[in-house]
Structures are given as C-alpha cells and as structure tokens.
C-alpha cells in the first residue's frame, strides 16, 4: 500500500458525498417520526466513510449489493436524493417506484443491485453476478456489503465457499458496526477478528478501521484490483460504528452513552472536514457546501412530498417479467 | 377474568410452562438481553437465567436444528423466529427433519418442539418481511399449525403447544401483540386443545371463517353488516392443521352461505382447504358459491396506499357477504 497523499479535490468530493448521506439520513429520521416514512428504517449514520470509499474505487460497470442499510451506498453511487427520498415516502418517483421502501433501494442503471432484507441472503447473489463476469469474460467486479451479524448464517458460509472455490471476482465487505441489532459481537461470535474466516474459504482476508475514508479506499482498492486481475475474492472486515439504533424502532439501550460518545470522537465526516481544513481549505467554503446540501435535501423532501403515490398498475404488472425475446 | 395484551398472554404461557417443566427452554435472536424484538419474552432472562433463555447469533437453520436435536433426546424447546419470514432459511430443518423424524424412526423418536414468532404483514415492511407463512407449513404432515387470534387463545394454545409431543408451528400476529382481551385469572389454568375451532360471534345469516389479523377486520365488518340487518356468524379455526370443521359445517347448515377471510395469498393454503372441505361436507346446504377474501396475489409493496389494497379490508368483506347473500 502506498503512502497516503491526500488530494484536496478528491477529499472535497468525498466530504460532500458523506455530508449528503449524513443529512439525508437525519432528514429521513425526522420524516419517519412525522409519519411520512413507514416500515423499517435503518440509518447509515457513522458508517459513511465505507460507502463513499467503495464508490470512489469502483468503476461504473461494477456491481454492488447491500443489506437493508442501503441509503448510504445508493447515494454514494450517484442515486439522486430525490429518487431516494421519494422511495422512502412510498412514491412513484422513488428509485423502486414506492414498491421497495427503505430496505429495497435499487439503481440498476448504476449497477446497484439492491438492498436486501434477509440476513445472508444476498451474498450468494453477489457471487452470482461475479460468476457472470467470469462466464462472459467481462471486466466487472462485484462488491457485497453485510454486517457483523451476518457472518454466522448459512448464506454467508455457502456464498464464501463457492466464491473461494471458483475464484470469483467479488469483494465481500463486512461492515462490523459491533452490533447485530441489540447483540454485541462478543455474544455472536467466539472470534474477535472476523477476517480470519477468509482463510477457511481459501481467500484473502483483510481488516481495518473504517472511519478514515482514505484508508478504507486503499484497502478496498487493493481487493478490487485482486478481483479484477482474476486472483479471486477478498473478505474485508471493516470496523465501524452506527451512531443511531439498529432501526428507528430500536432505542439502543444495550450500549452506554459513554461508549457512543467515545465512538463519535471518530466521526468519519468530522475527520474529513478537519483534514480538509488542515490542507488549507477555508471553513466557510465547507459551510457553503453544507448549506448547499441542506437545500438539496429540503428540495428532495418537497419533491417526495409532491410526487404522485405508488401505482397499483405498476404493482400488478411487476409480479412477473414479460415473456418473449429470448 | 382480567385483561391482558396478546404479547403478555404469550409471555405468561411460556413463564408458566418453564416454571412447571425444566425441560422447556426458549432460544432465539434477541430473546434474552434485549427482552425480545417484540418484547414477548420480556423478563424471562431475569427469571430463568442464560441456561434457559438463550440468545443466538443470526443462524436460523442452526438453532432450529439445535432445537430439533435437543427435542429428539428429551428437551422441550421453544424456538423463536424473530419473524416467520426468517424461518425460510430454516425451512429444511422444519420440513425434512422436525416433521419427518417420528415416522422415519418408526415412532421411536418424538420431537416436542414449538417454533413460534410473529407472522404476517406488519406495516410497510415490504415484500421480504410480510409473509403469511401458514400455507407453507399447513401443507406438511407431521406438523401442527396453530394461529391464535386473541390473547386468551394465544395463552391457552401456546401452553398446549409446549406440552405437545409433536412439532408445532405457532404463528403469532405481528400486529396483534398489543391487542387486549380477556384471559383467565392467575392461578386458573386453561389449556386450549390444538385442533378445536371457536365460535367468535353468533349470527344466523352468513358464516364467516377467519383467523389472525383479518379476524378483527371481520368482527368490525360484522358490526357494520349487523347495522344493515345481516347477522354474521364468525368462526375462528385457531388451529389450521389439523383443521376442525365441525363448527363451520354446523354454521353453514344454518346460514347456507359462507365467506372465508384470510391474509395469506389465494393460491392454496388453509383458505382453499376450508373451502374445499365445506363444499363437500355441506354441499346440500349451500345457497351460494363459497367466497374468499384474501391478500392479493402479489408480493407485498412498501407504499401504504398499495399495502392497504393488498390486505383484506372491511369493505371487501362486506361486499363478499352481500354477494353470497344476494343483497345490495
Ligand atoms: C435471516 C434473518 N434473520 C433475522 C433477521 C432480522 N434482522 C435484521 S437485521 C438483523 C441484525 C443484523 O446485524 P448485522 O448483520 O450486524 O447488520 P447491521 O444491521 O448491524 O448493519 C437482524 C437480526 C433477518 N433480517 N434475516
Ligand atoms: Mg452489525
């Protein structure tokens, strides 16, 4: 890995995206409380550096899978805040036309192949898109995100087994935010270091702290390069932390204030902001970016609010794909 | 009698049975320290300790199988699925193992296990989290399938399920946990037998068979119909396998018409089974084709305006009753 040479423009762009995610999530939480958003809402606040780093590394042609905690990567990949907010509001203009909701964002144009809500269920799908890349001789890497709690289920084991065996061009990223819902890692796994699991599948394992977007980029870039060059999959465990509860219905009583406050000292967004200031960027310029983002998010809420509701005909017509043309 | 919430009734059933029998334990995700994802098991860890209230990693096939294995050699596990949607990754354990061992072993091995948890649509939780699981499990010989609608039935049936020597699929209502209803006083033990239906509302004009969440939709619709002079008789099967049609047949012989209302999809399942049996067992008494009001035949959408269309509504029930009654 090379020495970090922060590039101001890159970092500014990354700061902006991270702030978009942060503000989007905060606004979503508010509208959930108001009843404009329903169902389950899992926020990405605190984990932003990971999605943004991945989006920086990936090519447009690459594929991405994520769990239900999917707003961050969707936005980092370039989904408009309008389409994202409208989905949460259950509107026809949403990224899944109001049919998917928070847990099931899709942006197929950008290779974002979904937010998935059954733990472990999407890992094999990621191996599947990677299989297609190999089958068709295409230079497309798949990246698949999931939580620490997802590393104990059969779906994880089987996907990792196949990907390792067939040296598929896929990167498995475990966002270890220390909790599976209310259960801390020490009560879901006898391992402290999850990355050693990689060895059992004959793939490379890696492990790092996830609050520094530049560090995360380096590690993901290395794994993506490995996949792209045909050397097979990587399993990366990225240590991170969610600043909110598991979902909006979780008061997160299982952790202490002190723990949370301590973790907030490593806020990935604050870290980038401070680094930018260190690089000579004027604070006011960053404030201007923040204001611009606030306006963008406000506009997204207006857009979502004014959009037409999800449509019954779309619901009925999307149960099965039309036949013919094969 | 006192009033309890559905979730409290379930908790009492587990508590009483765990006090009564050391072989009974509760295992599942977040059942202990978190006090249950839906707070059904609240307080049980404090009372019984980590030996008997066991938090698991997210590994449904694993802990369902652990439960079945433990049951094969004498324990009486209660396995909680955080929701029944997550039972599908443990499907093989339930279908191929729990439901088969007794006969495969020529009756040598019993599997006294309860699989329980919230079932059905909640509110806007989307297609992967809104399954009404009854049809998947009612298809399987070797399983009991119970789906209580009221707190009293929840308690009395769960106690019977825990004491049963066979695997029981116990489907709770995700939206029913807060429902309040009469439950026998403390110290008054009530075991409601698996496989007995219940008359929920008497009426002479039209029979409605329903269970689970639509039970409450139907009772509300029945009130509105009564105001128009149509008295519905409502029957809750309570157990979907084995299915007790005695009350249903008696009722249809009186009302000569019947509507079956359920949340699960229309293709097959207990809804279709009930209709099949009634047309045979009460054919000569029917004045109209049997009707069903069901969840629409689509994966559940997120948007509330569409979810409201998919789930059975009072209006759809009323329309169906009027159709079979040939009244406007
Ligand atoms: C098979 C399955 N079991 C249970 C659940 C319920 N559930 C949803 S998220 C979750 C915790 C997941 O934790 P983790 O994998 O660490 O991801 P995080 O939410 O922390 O990002 C659980 C238990 C589920 N969705 N799927
Ligand atoms: Mg986690």
């Amino acid at each position: 890995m090379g020495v970090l040479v922060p590039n101001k423009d890159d970092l500014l762009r990354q700061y902006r995206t991270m702030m978009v995610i942060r503000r989007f999530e905060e606004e979503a939480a508010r509208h959930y409380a108001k009843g404009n958003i329903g169902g389950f809402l899992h926020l990405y606040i605190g984990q932003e550096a990971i999605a943004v780093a991945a989006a920086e590394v990936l090519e447009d042609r690459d594929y991405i899978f994520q769990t239900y905690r999917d707003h961050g990567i969707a936005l980092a990949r370039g989904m408009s805040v309008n389409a994202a907010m409208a989905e949460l509001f259950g509107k026809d203009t949403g990224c899944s036309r109001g049919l998917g909701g928070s847990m099931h964002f899709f942006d197929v144009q950008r290779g974002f192949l979904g937010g998935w809500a059954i733990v472990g269920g999407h890992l094999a799908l990621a191996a599947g898109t990677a299989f297609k890349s190999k089958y068709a001789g295409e230079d497309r890497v798949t990246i698949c995100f999931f939580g620490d709690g997802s590393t104990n289920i059969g779906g994880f084991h089987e996907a990792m087994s196949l990907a390792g065996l067939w040296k598929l061009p896929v990167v498995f990223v475990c966002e270890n935010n220390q909790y599976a819902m209310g259960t801390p890692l020490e009560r879901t796994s006898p391992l402290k270091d999850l990355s050693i699991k990689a060895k059992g599948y004959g793939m490379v394992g890696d492990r790092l702290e996830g609050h520094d977007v530049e560090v995360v980029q380096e590690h993901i870039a290395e794994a993506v390069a490995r996949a792209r060059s045909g050397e097979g999959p990587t399993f990366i465990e990225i240590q991170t932390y969610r600043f909110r509860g598991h979902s909006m219905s979780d008061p997160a009583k299982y952790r202490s204030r002190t723990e949370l406050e301590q973790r907030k000292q490593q806020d990935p967004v604050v870290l980038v902001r401070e680094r930018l200031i260190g690089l000579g960027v004027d604070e006011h310029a960053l404030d201007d970016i923040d204001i611009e983002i606030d306006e963008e998010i406000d506009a997204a809420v207006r857009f979502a609010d004014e959009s037409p509701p999800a449509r019954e005909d779309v619901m009925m017509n999307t149960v099965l794909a039309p036949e013919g043309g094969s | 009698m006192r009033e309890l919430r559905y979730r409290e009734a379930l908790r009492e059933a587990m508590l009483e049975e765990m006090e009564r029998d050391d072989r009974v334990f509760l295992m599942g995700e977040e059942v202990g320290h978190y006090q249950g994802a839906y707070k059904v098991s609240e307080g049980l860890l404090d009372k019984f300790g980590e030996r008997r209230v066991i938090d698991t990693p997210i590994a449904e096939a694993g802990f369902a199988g652990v439960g079945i294995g433990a049951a094969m050699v004498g324990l009486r596990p209660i396995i909680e699925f955080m929701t029944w949607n997550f039972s599908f990754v443990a499907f093989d354990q339930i279908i191929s193992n729990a439901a088969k061992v007794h006969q495969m072993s020529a009756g040598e091995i019993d599997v006294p296990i309860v699989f329980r948890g919230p079932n059905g649509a909640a509110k806007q939780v989307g297609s992967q989290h809104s399954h009404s699981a009854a049809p998947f499990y009612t298809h399987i010989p070797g399983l009991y399938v119970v789906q209580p609608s009221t707190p009293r039935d929840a308690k009395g049936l769960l106690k019977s399920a825990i004491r049963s020597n066979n695997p029981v699929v116990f489907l709770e209502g995700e939206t029913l946990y807060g429902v309040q209803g009469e439950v026998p006083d403390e110290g008054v033990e009530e075991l409601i037998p698996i496989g007995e239906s219940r008359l929920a509302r008497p009426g002479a004009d039209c029979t409605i068979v329903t269970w689970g969440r639509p039970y409450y939709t139907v009772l509300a619709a029945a009130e509105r119909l009564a105001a128009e002079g149509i008295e519905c008789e409502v029957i809750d099967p309570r157990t979907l396998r084995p299915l007790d049609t005695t009350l249903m047949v008696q009722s249809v012989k009186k009302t000569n018409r019947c509507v079956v209302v359920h949340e699960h999809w229309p293709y097959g399942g207990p809804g279709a089974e009930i209709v099949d049996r009634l047309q045979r067992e009460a054919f000569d008494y029917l004045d109209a084709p049997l009707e069903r009001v069901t969840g629409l035949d689509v994966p559940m959408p997120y948007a509330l305006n569409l979810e409201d269309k998919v789930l059975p509504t009072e209006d759809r029930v009323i329309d169906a009753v009027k159709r079979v009654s040939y009244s406007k």
Side-chain angles (χ1 to χ4, degrees):
Chain A
M1 242 164 279
V3 181
L4 285 184
V5 185
N7 174 319
K8 213 187 327 182
D9 290 339
D10 288 348
L11 212 52
L12 262 174
R13 185 180 61 246
Q14 290 159 22
Y15 170 74
R16 192 178 198 290
T17 312
M18 285 164 76
M19 274 302 283
V20 167
I21 296 171
R22 178 66 57 94
R23 289 279 173 266
F24 180 90
E25 296 291 59
E26 288 170 350
E27 197 61 13
R30 267 193 288 281
H31 284 277
Y32 190 86
K34 280 190 187 172
N36 291 331
I37 298 170
F40 289 130
L41 179 66
H42 308 82
L43 303 179
Y44 199 62
I45 295 177
Q47 303 182 210
E48 294 93 340
I50 301 170
V52 172
E56 287 286 322
V57 168
L58 294 171
E59 301 292 338
D60 289 348
R61 61 185 179 279
D62 293 337
Y63 297 123
I64 305 172
F65 287 86
Q66 174 59 296
T67 65
Y68 43 83
R69 202 178 296 286
D70 58 356
H71 312 164
I73 187 66
L75 293 171
R77 186 63 166 176
M79 180 186 288
S80 77
V81 285
N82 284 5
M85 194 61 83
E87 188 59 31
L88 299 184
F89 276 55
K91 297 302 181 75
D92 186 49
T93 51
C95 61
S96 306
R97 302 195 72 175
L99 301 176
S102 165
M103 302 198 289
H104 306 299
F105 276 19
F106 279 84
D107 191 351
V108 177
Q109 292 301 317
R110 293 183 176 83
F112 178 53
L113 298 184
W116 299 82
I118 303 301
V119 165
H122 63 296
L123 278 74
L125 307 183
T129 54
F131 175 87
K132 192 261 181 172
S133 298
K134 203 168 172 178
Y135 187 91
E138 289 173 354
D139 174 23
R140 289 175 196 255
V141 169
T142 298
I143 192 163
C144 179
F145 300 93
F146 48 90
D148 45 290
S150 319
T151 58
N152 303 297
I153 198 159
F156 168 87
H157 174 66
E158 297 191 23
M160 297 280 285
S161 299
L162 298 178
L165 175 66
W166 293 329
K167 293 212 175 310
L168 299 176
V170 53
V171 178
F172 293 107
V173 177
C174 174
E175 297 188 70
N176 178 359
N177 60 11
Q178 318 300 326
Y179 291 90
M181 204 169 269
T183 311
L185 185 66
E186 70 255 24
R187 288 202 288 109
T188 61
S189 176
L191 305 177
K192 283 202 164 60
D193 175 355
L194 297 176
S195 70
I196 65 168
K197 288 180 184 241
K199 200 160 188 205
Y201 305 103
M203 65 177 81
V204 176
D206 189 14
R207 187 166 195 248
L208 62 140
E209 292 284 335
H211 50 272
D212 184 332
V213 68
E214 293 181 292
V215 173
V216 181
Q217 258 182 85
E218 273 203 61
H219 286 257
I220 294 182
E222 197 186 322
V224 167
R226 183 175 299 119
R228 229 183 266 298
S229 65
E231 289 170 63
T234 306
F235 174 71
I236 312 179
E237 177 195 356
I238 305 184
Q239 303 277 332
T240 180
Y241 201 80
R242 58 168 159 71
F243 294 169
R244 300 293 182 102
H246 169 74
S247 71
M248 291 301 290
S249 55
D250 171 26
K253 288 184 192 150
Y254 42 81
R255 62 185 185 190
S256 67
R257 273 244 139 251
T258 342
E259 179 184 308
L260 179 61
E261 289 313 319
Q262 223 161 27
R263 290 290 188 159
K264 281 189 175 172
Q265 298 304 306
Q266 295 192 315
D267 185 326
V269 182
V270 174
L271 188 82
V272 176
R273 193 182 166 92
E274 281 169 359
R275 187 165 298 159
L276 281 165
I277 293 167
L279 288 170
V281 176
D282 183 5
E283 267 209 79
H284 295 297
L286 295 173
D287 292 343
D288 287 345
I289 292 179
D290 294 356
I291 290 166
E292 206 180 284
I293 290 169
D294 284 345
E295 284 165 2
E296 214 177 297
I297 304 286
D298 286 348
V301 168
R302 275 195 305 279
F303 173 81
D305 197 39
E306 288 161 9
S307 287
R311 283 165 49 170
E312 190 174 357
D313 60 328
V314 177
M315 167 179 82
M316 299 311 292
N317 293 335
T318 50
V319 179
L320 292 166
E323 292 300 339
S326 59
Chain B
M1 267 196 261
R2 40 183 190 137
E3 294 242 315
L4 280 188
R5 288 188 197 283
Y6 188 96
R7 71 156 60 75
E8 295 162 341
L10 291 164
R11 187 186 307 147
E12 274 197 5
M14 290 196 281
L15 188 128
E16 289 173 16
E17 294 306 303
M18 287 176 74
E19 277 179 333
R20 180 180 168 273
D21 186 345
D22 182 64
R23 296 170 301 172
V24 179
F25 67 89
L26 174 64
M27 180 181 268
E29 291 156 19
E30 311 288 2
V31 296
H33 291 275
Y34 197 78
Q35 311 296 328
Y38 296 88
K39 302 292 167 255
V40 175
S41 57
E42 192 163 33
L44 295 184
L45 175 67
D46 288 347
K47 179 130 184 91
F48 296 104
E50 288 187 342
R51 175 173 165 265
R52 298 181 68 198
V53 178
I54 302 143
D55 282 323
T56 66
I58 307 168
E60 282 83 1
F63 64 77
V66 165
I68 296 164
M72 286 167 62
V73 290
L75 295 184
R76 304 184 80 84
I78 306 169
I79 299 297
E80 176 173 313
F81 292 121
M82 189 176 282
T83 77
W84 275 94
N85 302 289
F86 315 139
S87 74
F88 303 155
V89 298
F91 208 48
D92 180 58
Q93 285 294 342
I94 302 172
I95 307 299
S96 304
N97 297 349
K100 301 299 192 294
V101 182
H102 188 68
Q103 196 191 60
M104 282 195 305
S105 67
E108 283 294 314
I109 296 174
D110 295 351
V111 187
I113 191 169
V114 178
F115 300 103
R116 52 156 289 274
N119 172 60
K123 197 176 171 194
Q124 286 195 270
V125 295
S127 67
Q128 295 191 314
H129 274 61
S130 299
H131 293 95
S132 283
F136 303 125
Y137 295 105
T138 49
H139 191 62
I140 311 295
L143 299 178
Y144 292 145
V145 181
V146 175
Q147 190 168 350
S149 311
T150 66
R152 182 175 185 171
D153 287 344
K155 183 174 178 189
L157 279 162
L158 184 53
K159 284 170 72 81
S160 294
I162 295 167
R163 291 193 202 182
S164 166
N165 293 332
N166 289 293
V168 181
V169 165
F170 197 91
L171 306 170
E172 298 159 10
E174 181 154 345
T175 56
L176 303 185
Y177 283 135
V179 167
Q180 235 165 332
E182 286 192 337
V183 173
D185 289 328
E186 269 170 79
V188 180
E189 179 151 274
E190 181 175 56
L191 291 165
I192 296 173
I194 290 172
E196 278 187 18
S197 60
R198 175 175 64 83
L199 178 67
R201 182 191 199 279
D205 301 325
C206 179
T207 304
I208 306 181
V209 179
T210 189
W211 63 94
R213 172 185 182 151
Y215 174 88
Y216 294 93
T217 313
V218 163
L219 289 182
E223 288 307 309
R224 283 171 57 189
L225 284 160
E228 294 183 44
I230 301 177
E231 290 293 342
C232 293
E233 180 146 294
V234 180
I235 293 165
D236 181 352
R238 303 196 288 191
T239 300
L240 301 174
R241 183 185 186 96
L243 185 66
D244 167 28
T245 55
T246 325
L247 288 180
M248 301 173 204
V249 171
Q250 273 171 21
S251 179
V252 169
K253 285 182 176 174
K254 178 173 73 182
T255 64
N256 311 116
R257 55 204 88 238
C258 180
V259 176
V260 181
V261 184
H262 55 80
E263 185 181 312
H264 73 72
W265 287 307
Y267 197 114
E273 180 69 21
I274 290 167
V275 166
D276 170 61
R277 294 208 200 175
L278 289 182
Q279 63 82 22
R280 257 177 302 113
E281 293 173 28
F283 183 76
D284 290 334
Y285 297 87
L286 285 169
D287 284 348
L290 290 145
E291 280 242 12
R292 281 199 288 156
V293 176
T294 78
L296 297 188
D297 201 17
V298 294
M300 186 64 79
Y302 161 74
L304 188 58
N305 61 314
L306 298 182
E307 184 172 65
D308 284 345
K309 286 209 164 94
V310 170
L311 293 171
T313 59
E314 285 176 37
D315 287 343
R316 277 163 65 196
V317 173
I318 288 169
D319 287 349
V321 168
K322 287 186 175 173
R323 268 195 307 278
V324 299
S325 307
Y326 305 108
S327 84
K328 284 266 143 87

